[in-house]
Each structure stands twice: as C-alpha cells, then as structure tokens.
Coordinates of all heavy atoms in Angstrom, one line a residue:
M1 N 132.3 -22.0 1.8 CA 131.4 -23.0 2.1 C 131.8 -24.3 1.5 O 132.2 -24.4 0.3 CB 130.0 -22.7 1.8 CG 128.8 -23.5 1.9 SD 127.2 -23.0 1.5 CE 126.3 -24.5 1.9
A2 N 131.5 -25.4 2.1 CA 131.7 -26.8 1.6 C 130.4 -27.5 1.2 O 129.4 -27.4 1.9 CB 132.5 -27.7 2.5
W3 N 130.4 -27.9 0.0 CA 129.2 -28.6 -0.6 C 129.5 -29.9 -0.8 O 130.6 -30.4 -1.3 CB 128.9 -28.0 -1.9 CG 128.6 -26.6 -1.9 CD1 129.4 -25.5 -1.8 CD2 127.2 -26.0 -2.3 NE1 128.7 -24.3 -2.0 CE2 127.4 -24.5 -2.2 CE3 126.0 -26.5 -2.5 CZ2 126.4 -23.7 -2.5 CZ3 124.9 -25.6 -2.8 CH2 125.1 -24.3 -2.7
Q4 N 128.6 -31.0 -0.3 CA 128.7 -32.4 -0.6 C 128.4 -32.5 -2.1 O 127.6 -31.7 -2.7 CB 127.8 -33.2 0.2 CG 128.2 -33.3 1.7 CD 127.2 -34.1 2.4 OE1 126.1 -34.6 2.0 NE2 127.5 -34.3 3.8
L5 N 129.0 -33.5 -2.7 CA 128.9 -33.6 -4.2 C 127.4 -33.8 -4.6 O 127.0 -33.0 -5.6 CB 129.7 -34.8 -4.7 CG 129.7 -35.1 -6.2 CD1 130.2 -33.9 -7.1 CD2 130.4 -36.3 -6.6
Q6 N 126.6 -34.6 -4.0 CA 125.3 -34.8 -4.3 C 124.5 -33.4 -4.2 O 123.6 -33.1 -5.1 CB 124.6 -35.9 -3.6 CG 124.5 -35.8 -2.1 CD 125.8 -36.3 -1.4 OE1 126.9 -36.5 -2.0 NE2 125.6 -36.6 -0.2
E7 N 124.8 -32.6 -3.2 CA 124.2 -31.4 -3.0 C 124.5 -30.4 -4.0 O 123.7 -29.6 -4.6 CB 124.4 -30.8 -1.6 CG 123.8 -29.5 -1.3 CD 124.3 -29.0 0.1 OE1 125.2 -29.4 0.7 OE2 123.6 -27.9 0.5
A8 N 125.9 -30.2 -4.5 CA 126.3 -29.4 -5.5 C 125.6 -29.8 -6.8 O 125.3 -28.8 -7.5 CB 127.9 -29.6 -5.6
K9 N 125.4 -31.2 -7.1 CA 124.7 -31.6 -8.4 C 123.3 -30.9 -8.3 O 122.8 -30.5 -9.2 CB 124.8 -33.0 -8.5 CG 126.2 -33.4 -9.0 CD 126.3 -34.9 -9.6 CE 126.0 -35.9 -8.5 NZ 126.1 -37.2 -9.0
A10 N 122.6 -31.2 -7.2 CA 121.3 -30.8 -7.2 C 121.0 -29.4 -7.1 O 120.0 -28.9 -7.7 CB 120.6 -31.5 -5.8
R11 N 122.0 -28.6 -6.7 CA 121.7 -27.1 -6.5 C 123.0 -26.4 -7.3 O 123.5 -25.4 -6.7 CB 121.7 -26.8 -5.0 CG 120.6 -27.4 -4.3 CD 120.7 -27.3 -2.8 NE 121.0 -26.0 -2.4 CZ 121.4 -25.6 -1.2 NH1 121.6 -26.6 -0.2 NH2 121.5 -24.3 -0.7
F12 N 123.3 -26.9 -8.4 CA 124.3 -26.4 -9.2 C 124.2 -24.9 -9.5 O 125.1 -24.1 -9.4 CB 124.5 -27.2 -10.5 CG 125.8 -26.8 -11.2 CD1 127.0 -27.1 -10.8 CD2 125.7 -26.1 -12.5 CE1 128.2 -26.8 -11.5 CE2 126.9 -25.8 -13.1 CZ 128.1 -26.1 -12.6
S13 N 123.0 -24.4 -10.0 CA 122.9 -23.0 -10.2 C 123.2 -22.2 -8.9 O 123.8 -21.1 -9.1 CB 121.4 -22.6 -10.6 OG 121.2 -23.3 -12.0
E14 N 122.7 -22.6 -7.8 CA 123.0 -21.9 -6.5 C 124.5 -21.8 -6.3 O 125.1 -20.8 -5.9 CB 122.2 -22.4 -5.4 CG 122.4 -21.8 -4.1 CD 121.7 -22.4 -2.9 OE1 120.8 -23.2 -3.2 OE2 121.9 -21.9 -1.8
L15 N 125.1 -23.0 -6.5 CA 126.6 -23.2 -6.3 C 127.3 -22.1 -7.2 O 128.3 -21.5 -6.7 CB 127.0 -24.6 -6.6 CG 128.6 -24.8 -6.7 CD1 129.1 -24.8 -5.3 CD2 128.8 -26.3 -7.2
V16 N 126.9 -22.0 -8.4 CA 127.5 -21.2 -9.4 C 127.4 -19.7 -8.9 O 128.3 -18.9 -8.9 CB 127.1 -21.3 -10.8 CG1 127.6 -20.2 -11.7 CG2 127.6 -22.7 -11.3
Q17 N 126.2 -19.3 -8.5 CA 125.9 -17.9 -8.2 C 126.7 -17.7 -6.8 O 127.1 -16.6 -6.6 CB 124.4 -17.8 -7.8 CG 123.9 -16.3 -7.7 CD 124.2 -15.4 -9.0 OE1 124.0 -15.9 -10.0 NE2 125.0 -14.4 -8.7
K18 N 126.8 -18.5 -5.8 CA 127.5 -18.3 -4.6 C 129.0 -18.1 -5.1 O 129.7 -17.3 -4.4 CB 127.4 -19.4 -3.7 CG 126.2 -19.3 -2.8 CD 126.1 -20.2 -1.6 CE 124.8 -20.1 -0.9 NZ 124.9 -19.0 0.1
A19 N 129.6 -18.8 -6.1 CA 130.9 -18.7 -6.4 C 131.2 -17.3 -6.9 O 132.2 -16.6 -6.6 CB 131.3 -19.7 -7.4
I20 N 130.2 -16.8 -7.6 CA 130.3 -15.4 -8.2 C 130.2 -14.5 -7.1 O 130.9 -13.5 -7.0 CB 129.2 -15.2 -9.4 CG1 129.5 -16.1 -10.5 CG2 129.1 -13.7 -9.7 CD1 128.4 -16.2 -11.5
D21 N 129.2 -14.6 -6.2 CA 128.9 -13.6 -5.2 C 129.8 -13.6 -4.0 O 130.2 -12.6 -3.5 CB 127.5 -13.6 -4.7 CG 126.4 -13.3 -5.8 OD1 126.8 -12.7 -6.8 OD2 125.3 -13.9 -5.7
E22 N 130.1 -14.8 -3.6 CA 130.9 -15.0 -2.3 C 132.3 -15.4 -2.4 O 133.0 -15.5 -1.4 CB 130.1 -15.8 -1.4 CG 128.6 -15.5 -1.1 CD 127.8 -16.4 -0.3 OE1 128.4 -17.4 0.2 OE2 126.6 -16.2 -0.3
G23 N 132.6 -16.0 -3.5 CA 134.0 -16.5 -3.7 C 133.9 -18.0 -3.8 O 133.0 -18.6 -3.9
P24 N 135.2 -18.6 -3.9 CA 135.4 -20.0 -4.3 C 134.5 -20.9 -3.2 O 134.4 -20.6 -2.2 CB 136.9 -20.3 -4.0 CG 137.5 -19.0 -4.3 CD 136.5 -17.9 -3.7
Q25 N 134.0 -21.9 -3.9 CA 133.1 -22.8 -3.2 C 133.8 -24.3 -3.3 O 134.2 -24.7 -4.4 CB 131.8 -22.8 -3.7 CG 131.0 -21.6 -3.8 CD 130.7 -21.2 -2.4 OE1 130.0 -21.8 -1.6 NE2 131.1 -19.9 -2.1
T26 N 134.0 -25.0 -2.2 CA 134.6 -26.3 -2.2 C 133.6 -27.3 -2.3 O 132.6 -27.3 -1.6 CB 135.4 -26.5 -0.9 OG1 136.4 -25.4 -0.9 CG2 136.0 -27.8 -0.9
V27 N 133.8 -28.3 -3.1 CA 132.9 -29.5 -3.3 C 133.6 -30.6 -2.8 O 134.8 -30.9 -3.2 CB 132.5 -29.6 -4.8 CG1 131.5 -30.8 -4.8 CG2 131.7 -28.5 -5.4
T28 N 133.0 -31.5 -1.9 CA 133.5 -32.6 -1.2 C 133.1 -33.8 -1.8 O 131.9 -33.9 -2.3 CB 133.5 -32.6 0.3 OG1 132.1 -32.7 0.7 CG2 134.0 -31.3 0.9
R29 N 133.9 -34.9 -1.8 CA 133.5 -36.2 -2.1 C 134.0 -37.2 -1.1 O 135.2 -37.2 -0.8 CB 134.0 -36.6 -3.6 CG 133.4 -38.0 -4.0 CD 133.8 -38.2 -5.5 NE 135.2 -38.1 -5.8 CZ 135.7 -38.2 -7.0 NH1 134.9 -38.5 -8.0 NH2 137.0 -38.2 -7.1
H30 N 133.1 -38.0 -0.5 CA 133.5 -38.8 0.6 C 134.1 -38.1 1.7 O 135.1 -38.6 2.3 CB 134.4 -40.0 0.0 CG 133.8 -40.7 -1.1 ND1 132.6 -41.5 -0.9 CD2 134.2 -40.9 -2.4 CE1 132.4 -42.0 -2.2 NE2 133.3 -41.6 -3.0
G31 N 133.8 -36.9 2.0 CA 134.2 -36.1 3.0 C 135.6 -35.4 2.8 O 136.0 -34.7 3.7
K32 N 136.1 -35.5 1.7 CA 137.4 -34.9 1.4 C 137.2 -33.8 0.2 O 136.4 -34.1 -0.7 CB 138.4 -35.9 0.9 CG 138.7 -37.0 2.0 CD 139.8 -37.9 1.5 CE 140.1 -38.9 2.6 NZ 141.0 -39.9 2.1
A33 N 137.8 -32.8 0.4 CA 137.7 -31.8 -0.8 C 138.1 -32.3 -2.1 O 139.2 -33.0 -2.2 CB 138.7 -30.6 -0.4
A34 N 137.4 -32.2 -3.1 CA 137.5 -32.8 -4.5 C 137.8 -31.7 -5.4 O 138.7 -31.8 -6.2 CB 136.3 -33.6 -4.8
V35 N 137.0 -30.7 -5.3 CA 137.3 -29.5 -6.4 C 136.8 -28.2 -5.9 O 136.1 -28.2 -4.7 CB 136.4 -29.7 -7.7 CG1 136.9 -31.0 -8.4 CG2 134.9 -29.6 -7.5
V36 N 137.3 -27.1 -6.4 CA 136.8 -25.8 -6.0 C 136.2 -25.0 -7.2 O 136.7 -25.1 -8.3 CB 138.0 -25.0 -5.6 CG1 137.6 -23.6 -5.2 CG2 138.6 -25.5 -4.3
V37 N 135.0 -24.5 -7.0 CA 134.3 -23.9 -8.0 C 134.6 -22.3 -7.9 O 134.3 -21.8 -6.7 CB 132.8 -24.1 -8.0 CG1 132.0 -23.3 -9.1 CG2 132.5 -25.6 -8.2
L38 N 135.1 -21.6 -8.8 CA 135.3 -20.2 -8.7 C 134.8 -19.4 -10.0 O 134.8 -20.0 -10.9 CB 136.8 -19.9 -8.4 CG 137.8 -20.3 -9.3 CD1 138.9 -19.2 -9.2 CD2 138.3 -21.6 -9.2
S39 N 134.5 -18.2 -9.8 CA 134.1 -17.5 -10.8 C 135.1 -17.2 -12.0 O 136.3 -17.4 -11.6 CB 133.7 -16.0 -10.4 OG 134.9 -15.2 -10.0
A40 N 134.7 -17.0 -13.2 CA 135.6 -16.8 -14.3 C 136.6 -15.7 -14.0 O 137.7 -15.7 -14.4 CB 134.8 -16.6 -15.6
E41 N 136.1 -14.7 -13.3 CA 136.8 -13.4 -13.0 C 137.9 -13.8 -12.1 O 139.1 -13.3 -12.3 CB 135.9 -12.3 -12.5 CG 136.7 -11.1 -12.0 CD 135.7 -10.0 -11.3 OE1 134.5 -10.3 -11.2 OE2 136.2 -9.1 -10.9
Q42 N 137.6 -14.5 -11.0 CA 138.6 -15.0 -10.1 C 139.8 -15.9 -10.8 O 140.9 -15.8 -10.5 CB 138.1 -15.8 -8.9 CG 137.4 -14.8 -8.0 CD 136.7 -15.5 -6.9 OE1 136.2 -16.6 -7.0 NE2 136.7 -14.9 -5.7
F43 N 139.3 -16.7 -11.7 CA 140.1 -17.6 -12.4 C 141.1 -16.8 -13.2 O 142.4 -17.0 -13.3 CB 139.3 -18.6 -13.2 CG 140.3 -19.5 -14.0 CD1 140.9 -20.5 -13.5 CD2 140.3 -19.4 -15.4 CE1 141.7 -21.4 -14.1 CE2 141.1 -20.3 -16.2 CZ 141.8 -21.3 -15.6
E44 N 140.7 -15.8 -14.0 CA 141.5 -15.0 -14.8 C 142.6 -14.2 -13.9 O 143.7 -14.1 -14.4 CB 140.7 -13.9 -15.6 CG 139.8 -14.6 -16.7 CD 140.7 -15.3 -17.7 OE1 141.8 -14.9 -18.1 OE2 140.3 -16.4 -18.2
L45 N 142.1 -13.7 -12.8 CA 143.1 -13.1 -11.9 C 144.1 -14.0 -11.4 O 145.3 -13.6 -11.4 CB 142.3 -12.6 -10.6 CG 141.5 -11.3 -10.8 CD1 140.8 -10.9 -9.6 CD2 142.4 -10.1 -11.2
M46 N 143.8 -15.2 -11.2 CA 144.7 -16.3 -10.7 C 145.8 -16.5 -11.9 O 146.9 -16.6 -11.6 CB 144.1 -17.6 -10.3 CG 143.4 -17.5 -8.9 SD 142.5 -19.0 -8.6 CE 143.9 -20.3 -8.8
K47 N 145.2 -16.6 -13.1 CA 146.1 -16.8 -14.2 C 147.1 -15.7 -14.4 O 148.3 -16.0 -14.8 CB 145.3 -17.1 -15.6 CG 144.6 -18.6 -15.6 CD 143.9 -18.7 -16.9 CE 143.9 -17.9 -18.0 NZ 143.1 -18.3 -19.2
K48 N 146.6 -14.4 -14.3 CA 147.6 -13.3 -14.4 C 148.6 -13.3 -13.4 O 149.8 -12.9 -13.7 CB 146.8 -12.1 -14.4 CG 146.0 -11.9 -15.6 CD 145.1 -10.6 -15.5 CE 144.2 -10.4 -16.7 NZ 143.4 -9.2 -16.7
R49 N 148.3 -13.8 -12.2 CA 149.3 -13.8 -11.0 C 150.4 -14.8 -11.1 O 151.3 -14.8 -10.4 CB 148.6 -13.8 -9.7 CG 148.0 -12.5 -9.4 CD 147.5 -12.5 -8.0 NE 146.0 -12.3 -7.9 CZ 145.3 -12.7 -7.0 NH1 145.6 -13.3 -6.0 NH2 144.1 -12.3 -7.1
Q50 N 150.1 -15.9 -12.0 CA 151.1 -17.0 -12.0 C 152.4 -16.5 -12.6 O 152.6 -15.8 -13.5 CB 150.5 -18.1 -12.8 CG 149.4 -18.9 -12.2 CD 149.0 -20.1 -13.1 OE1 149.3 -20.0 -14.2 NE2 148.5 -21.0 -12.4
I51 N 153.5 -17.0 -11.9 CA 154.8 -16.8 -12.4 C 155.5 -18.0 -12.8 O 155.3 -19.0 -12.0 CB 155.7 -16.1 -11.3 CG1 155.2 -14.7 -10.9 CG2 157.1 -16.1 -11.7 CD1 156.0 -14.0 -9.9
D52 N 156.0 -18.0 -13.8 CA 156.7 -19.2 -14.4 C 157.9 -19.5 -13.5 O 158.6 -18.6 -13.2 CB 157.2 -19.1 -15.8 CG 157.7 -20.3 -16.5 OD1 157.0 -21.2 -16.6 OD2 158.9 -20.2 -16.9
L53 N 158.2 -20.9 -13.1 CA 159.3 -21.1 -12.3 C 160.6 -20.7 -12.8 O 161.4 -20.1 -12.2 CB 159.4 -22.6 -12.0 CG 160.5 -23.0 -11.1 CD1 160.5 -22.4 -9.8 CD2 160.5 -24.6 -11.1
K54 N 160.7 -20.8 -14.1 CA 161.9 -20.2 -14.9 C 162.1 -18.9 -14.6 O 163.3 -18.4 -14.4 CB 161.8 -20.7 -16.4 CG 163.0 -20.3 -17.2 CD 162.8 -20.9 -18.7 CE 161.5 -20.5 -19.2 NZ 161.2 -20.9 -20.5
D55 N 161.2 -17.9 -14.8 CA 161.3 -16.5 -14.5 C 161.5 -16.2 -13.1 O 162.3 -15.3 -12.8 CB 159.9 -15.9 -15.0 CG 159.7 -16.0 -16.5 OD1 160.7 -16.1 -17.3 OD2 158.5 -15.9 -16.9
L56 N 161.0 -17.0 -12.1 CA 161.2 -16.7 -10.8 C 162.6 -17.0 -10.5 O 163.2 -16.2 -9.8 CB 160.3 -17.7 -9.9 CG 160.4 -17.7 -8.4 CD1 160.0 -16.3 -7.9 CD2 159.7 -18.7 -7.7
L57 N 163.2 -18.0 -11.0 CA 164.6 -18.5 -10.7 C 165.6 -17.4 -11.3 O 166.6 -17.0 -10.8 CB 165.0 -19.8 -11.2 CG 164.4 -20.9 -10.5 CD1 164.6 -22.3 -11.2 CD2 164.8 -20.9 -9.0
R58 N 165.2 -16.9 -12.5 CA 166.0 -15.9 -13.3 C 166.1 -14.6 -12.5 O 167.0 -13.8 -12.4 CB 165.5 -15.6 -14.6 CG 165.8 -16.8 -15.6 CD 165.3 -16.3 -17.0 NE 165.7 -17.3 -17.8 CZ 165.0 -17.6 -19.0 NH1 164.0 -16.8 -19.3 NH2 165.4 -18.6 -19.6
S59 N 164.9 -14.3 -11.7 CA 164.9 -12.9 -11.0 C 165.3 -13.1 -9.6 O 165.5 -12.0 -8.9 CB 163.4 -12.5 -11.0 OG 162.7 -13.4 -10.1
A60 N 165.9 -14.2 -9.2 CA 166.4 -14.4 -7.8 C 167.7 -13.6 -7.7 O 168.5 -13.6 -8.6 CB 166.6 -15.9 -7.5
P61 N 168.0 -13.2 -6.6 CA 169.2 -12.4 -6.3 C 170.5 -13.3 -6.1 O 171.0 -13.4 -4.9 CB 169.0 -11.5 -5.0 CG 168.0 -12.4 -4.3 CD 167.1 -13.1 -5.4
W62 N 170.9 -14.0 -7.2 CA 171.9 -15.1 -7.0 C 173.3 -14.4 -6.6 O 174.0 -15.0 -5.9 CB 172.1 -15.9 -8.3 CG 170.9 -16.6 -8.6 CD1 170.1 -16.3 -9.6 CD2 170.4 -17.7 -7.9 NE1 169.0 -17.3 -9.7 CE2 169.2 -18.1 -8.7 CE3 170.8 -18.5 -6.9 CZ2 168.4 -19.3 -8.3 CZ3 170.1 -19.6 -6.5 CH2 168.9 -19.9 -7.2
H63 N 173.5 -13.3 -6.9 CA 174.7 -12.5 -6.8 C 174.9 -12.3 -5.2 O 176.0 -12.1 -4.7 CB 174.9 -11.2 -7.4 CG 173.8 -10.2 -7.2 ND1 172.5 -10.4 -7.6 CD2 174.0 -9.1 -6.3 CE1 171.9 -9.3 -7.2 NE2 172.7 -8.6 -6.4
E64 N 173.9 -12.3 -4.5 CA 173.9 -12.0 -3.0 C 174.1 -13.3 -2.2 O 174.3 -13.3 -1.1 CB 172.6 -11.3 -2.5 CG 172.5 -9.9 -3.1 CD 171.1 -9.3 -2.8 OE1 170.4 -9.8 -1.9 OE2 170.7 -8.3 -3.3
L65 N 173.9 -14.5 -2.9 CA 174.0 -15.7 -2.2 C 175.4 -16.2 -2.0 O 176.1 -16.2 -2.9 CB 173.2 -16.8 -3.1 CG 173.1 -18.2 -2.5 CD1 172.2 -18.1 -1.3 CD2 172.4 -19.1 -3.6
E66 N 175.8 -16.6 -0.8 CA 177.0 -17.0 -0.5 C 177.0 -18.4 -0.2 O 176.4 -18.8 0.9 CB 177.8 -16.2 0.6 CG 178.1 -14.8 0.1 CD 178.7 -14.0 1.3 OE1 179.3 -14.6 2.2 OE2 178.5 -12.7 1.3
I67 N 177.7 -19.3 -0.7 CA 177.5 -20.7 -0.5 C 178.9 -21.3 -0.1 O 179.9 -21.0 -0.8 CB 176.9 -21.6 -1.6 CG1 175.6 -21.1 -1.9 CG2 176.9 -23.1 -1.3 CD1 175.0 -21.8 -3.3
E68 N 179.1 -21.9 1.0 CA 180.4 -22.3 1.5 C 180.2 -23.7 1.8 O 179.2 -24.3 2.3 CB 180.8 -21.7 2.7 CG 181.2 -20.2 2.6 CD 181.7 -19.6 3.9 OE1 182.1 -20.3 4.7 OE2 181.7 -18.3 3.8
R69 N 181.2 -24.6 1.4 CA 181.2 -26.0 1.5 C 181.7 -26.4 2.9 O 182.7 -25.8 3.4 CB 182.0 -26.7 0.4 CG 182.0 -28.2 0.6 CD 182.7 -28.8 -0.6 NE 183.0 -30.3 -0.4 CZ 184.1 -30.8 0.0 NH1 185.2 -30.1 0.2 NH2 184.1 -32.0 0.1
D70 N 181.0 -27.2 3.7 CA 181.4 -27.7 5.0 C 182.7 -28.6 4.7 O 182.6 -29.6 4.1 CB 180.4 -28.4 5.6 CG 180.7 -29.0 7.0 OD1 181.8 -28.5 7.5 OD2 180.0 -29.7 7.7
K71 N 183.9 -28.1 5.3 CA 185.1 -28.9 5.0 C 185.3 -29.8 6.1 O 186.4 -30.4 6.1 CB 186.2 -27.9 4.7 CG 186.0 -27.0 3.5 CD 187.1 -26.0 3.3 CE 186.7 -25.2 2.1 NZ 187.7 -24.1 1.9
S72 N 184.6 -30.1 7.1 CA 184.8 -31.0 8.1 C 184.7 -32.3 7.7 O 184.0 -32.7 6.8 CB 183.9 -30.6 9.3 OG 182.6 -30.9 9.0
Y73 N 185.4 -33.2 8.4 CA 185.5 -34.7 7.9 C 184.1 -35.3 8.5 O 183.4 -34.8 9.5 CB 186.6 -35.5 8.6 CG 188.0 -35.0 8.0 CD1 188.7 -34.1 8.7 CD2 188.3 -35.5 6.8 CE1 189.9 -33.7 8.2 CE2 189.5 -34.9 6.3 CZ 190.3 -34.2 6.9 OH 191.6 -33.8 6.4
P74 N 183.6 -36.4 7.8 CA 182.4 -36.9 8.3 C 182.6 -37.5 9.7 O 183.8 -37.9 10.0 CB 182.1 -37.9 7.1 CG 183.3 -38.2 6.4 CD 184.2 -36.9 6.6
R75 N 181.6 -37.7 10.4 CA 181.7 -38.3 11.6 C 182.0 -39.8 11.6 O 181.7 -40.4 10.7 CB 180.4 -38.2 12.5 CG 179.3 -38.8 11.9 CD 177.9 -38.4 12.6 NE 176.9 -39.1 11.8 CZ 175.8 -39.5 12.3 NH1 175.4 -39.0 13.5 NH2 174.8 -40.0 11.6
E76 N 182.6 -40.3 12.7 CA 183.0 -41.6 12.7 C 181.7 -42.5 13.2 O 181.1 -42.1 14.1 CB 184.2 -42.0 13.6 CG 185.5 -41.3 12.9 CD 186.7 -41.7 13.8 OE1 186.6 -42.6 14.6 OE2 187.7 -41.0 13.8
I77 N 181.6 -43.8 12.7 CA 180.5 -44.5 13.1 C 181.2 -45.9 13.4 O 182.1 -46.5 12.8 CB 179.4 -44.6 12.3 CG1 179.7 -45.2 10.8 CG2 178.7 -43.3 12.1 CD1 178.7 -45.5 9.9
D78 N 180.5 -46.6 14.3 CA 181.0 -48.1 14.6 C 180.1 -49.0 13.9 O 178.8 -48.8 14.0 CB 180.9 -48.3 16.2 CG 181.9 -47.6 17.0 OD1 183.0 -47.3 16.5 OD2 181.4 -47.0 18.1
L79 N 180.7 -49.9 13.2 CA 179.8 -50.9 12.4 C 179.9 -52.2 13.1 O 180.7 -52.6 13.7 CB 180.4 -51.0 11.0 CG 180.3 -49.7 10.2 CD1 180.9 -50.0 8.8 CD2 178.9 -49.4 9.9

C-alpha cells in the first residue's frame, strides 16, 4: 500500500502496524515513492541476505570464463 506523507504522519501507528502485519509500506511525497517502512524482522532478514560485492566476485566461476579479443580491424569511416 502507498501512503501519502501527510497521511503517514497522521496515522503513523497504523502505518507501523500494517508494516508488521502486511509487509513493507511505501510512503510517497509529491506523488513519488520516498521511503519504505518495514518491520524490524524484515529488515534483519534483508541484512542477513546481503552479500558483499567483494565476496560475490571472489565466488564467481572465473576459471570457466573464456575471453577472446576481437582481432578484426576497425571499420573505415569517411571524414
């Protein structure tokens, strides 16, 4: 559900409860998504699932990657 900022401020307790019961709630400002309110439990799950880019690159199957350079000449252009 999307909440307008003024509505989210006025009904903050309800917004928090819905985030706990129903999942992330989007708050908009000037018609555009500004923030997402989510439960602490969901936030912790997201933090656990994060993979560091460095670890991701280290785990990539680089030995299977075959890179060949294109040895053709560049195309001719008229100036």
Side-chain angles (χ1 to χ4, degrees):
M1 175 178 183
W3 299 69
Q4 292 181 352
L5 181 59
Q6 62 271 21
E7 181 184 13
K9 287 194 287 186
R11 299 168 51 194
F12 187 71
S13 293
E14 184 180 347
L15 170 67
V16 170
Q17 192 60 50
K18 282 194 177 269
I20 292 168
D21 295 340
E22 300 175 15
Q25 303 290 305
T26 303
V27 179
T28 62
R29 183 169 58 182
H30 304 296
K32 296 180 182 176
V35 298
V36 175
V37 178
L38 65 149
S39 69
E41 180 182 354
Q42 288 176 323
F43 180 69
E44 290 301 321
L45 284 173
M46 284 177 54
K47 283 183 8 183
K48 287 180 183 177
R49 281 191 240 157
Q50 283 183 342
I51 291 182
D52 186 60
L53 178 60
K54 184 173 47 177
D55 295 333
L56 179 64
L57 291 173
R58 284 182 182 155
S59 69
W62 297 109
H63 63 281
E64 296 175 12
L65 186 63
E66 293 182 27
I67 300 175
E68 292 183 20
R69 181 174 174 256
D70 183 6
K71 296 179 183 177
S72 62
Y73 292 102
R75 64 185 174 157
E76 292 183 22
I77 57 169
D78 295 324
L79 297 176

